Amino acid sequence: MNTFSTIKISTRAAGVAQVTMARPQVFNAFDETMVGELDEAFSQLIADPAVRVIVLAGEGKHFSAGADLQWMQRASTATLEWNLADARRFAGVFSKIETCPKPTVARVNGAALGGGVGLLCACDIAIAADNASFSVSEAKFGIIPSVIGPYVTNAVGKRHARRLALTTTRIKADEALRMGLVHQVTSLEDLDAAIDATVTELLAGGPEAQREIKELFAQLAVGAITEEVRDLTARTISRIRGSDEAREGFAAFLEKRPAKWIPV
């Protein structure tokens, strides 16, 4: 794998990779370099068949302070064309995480601000320490949470997302849990144990089934279950029930043994 300057890739457990944002001196704020390195890291891990689950974390006391303000200041004096190309690269890394065919888990401690909130919303599962705090803070600087907006809205719904963006209010972990911004809150001391427990559950599922879940659920909107939706789900399950992975899953259950995809 490439040598990175702003992130670290490590093996957390068999089948589990951890991507750690590693600029603790600026609370893991990301700039052009980190955006590019996150994109490359996820590309590598997606292509690696040994990797089943990806954990996203921040080095030190905080998850991520979002976009580096020096980067944003440079953007404020650049041309529209430069800004558009830069914003598209920025949007691309969020899409890479959200559409990752492997389960992703955000490990959140300390502050998650601005784009840091967007990163945890782009992950499938977010688990936070009780010292975590969250703010969609862009409006304080005269900009808006545009790229992260769809991910925040999908996570908490439009009304919560609008309030967070308009007020830039800083909320604590218990409120983030109530609105669905994170899925679980635990003590800082127990954070890694909680992450590992969720990872163990993820590793018990079939990797192809998990990829198919993510692909299917990406096509499902909240609302009426139309004939088209019913047909999509029927066609999907009829195809998957005859897959090699499904046959192995049924056989493992009936034979009372671990499925072959579970790491040993």
Side-chain angles (χ1 to χ4, degrees):
M1 291 187 177
N2 291 353
T3 299
F4 298 112
S5 62
T6 67
I7 65 170
K8 298 175 181 177
I9 300 179
S10 57
T11 299
R12 189 178 178 97
V16 184
Q18 179 163 307
V19 178
T20 303
M21 296 174 282
R23 299 183 74 208
Q25 70 278 12
V26 290
F27 300 163
N28 300 315
F30 45 79
D31 57 8
E32 307 99 313
T33 301
M34 185 184 284
V35 166
E37 291 187 351
L38 283 170
D39 188 270
E40 176 60 25
F42 271 84
S43 292
Q44 290 182 8
L45 295 174
I46 288 168
D48 186 347
V51 174
R52 293 274 319 278
V53 177
I54 303 171
V55 176
L56 178 63
E59 185 173 284
K61 296 181 178 180
H62 301 283
F63 179 68
S64 174
D68 189 307
L69 293 184
Q70 293 187 3
W71 173 31
M72 293 296 97
Q73 188 174 44
R74 290 195 297 275
S76 72
T77 62
T79 65
L80 176 61
E81 290 74 15
W82 184 94
N83 265 291
L84 180 57
D86 185 68
R88 283 174 170 161
R89 285 190 294 270
F90 185 41
V93 75
F94 284 90
S95 178
K96 180 71 63 70
I97 295 170
E98 199 270 338
T99 61
C100 175
K102 304 174 182 185
T104 55
V105 183
R107 178 194 182 279
V108 186
N109 64 299
L113 310 177
V117 174
L119 284 175
L120 69 92
C121 290
C123 291
D124 298 313
I125 300 166
I127 301 175
D130 54 13
N131 75 338
S133 61
F134 309 81
S135 173
V136 181
S137 54
E138 283 84 349
K140 286 184 178 179
F141 308 102
I143 58 175
I144 70 172
S146 185
V147 167
I148 73 170
Y151 303 95
V152 179
T153 299
N154 279 348
V156 301
K158 190 167 290 188
R159 292 199 76 206
H160 280 310
R162 193 179 314 173
R163 173 211 166 203
L164 292 173
L166 290 172
T167 65
T168 72
T169 188
R170 192 152 175 162
I171 63 172
K172 295 182 178 180
D174 57 348
E175 185 174 355
L177 179 64
R178 286 196 299 271
M179 70 171 60
L181 192 62
V182 299
H183 297 95
Q184 183 180 352
V185 174
T186 185
S187 68
L188 181 60
E189 293 76 15
D190 293 334
L191 179 58
D192 283 305
I195 297 289
D196 291 339
T198 292
V199 164
T200 298
E201 292 176 333
L202 290 169
L203 291 173
E208 285 303 309
Q210 290 169 338
R211 181 184 65 79
E212 292 277 5
I213 287 168
K214 295 192 67 171
E215 185 174 323
L216 174 64
F217 279 32
Q219 300 175 71
L220 303 179
V222 176
I225 302 172
T226 64
E227 182 179 349
E228 289 76 16
V229 170
R230 294 195 302 273
D231 187 62
L232 169 65
T233 59
R235 288 180 180 274
T236 301
I237 190 57
S238 64
R239 172 172 53 81
I240 292 171
R241 279 193 299 219
S243 69
D244 290 340
E245 186 173 274
R247 284 190 285 271
E248 164 60 15
F250 295 137
F253 179 80
L254 294 172
E255 295 166 14
K256 298 181 179 180
R257 61 171 175 79
K260 292 179 180 178
W261 58 72
I262 299 177
V264 294

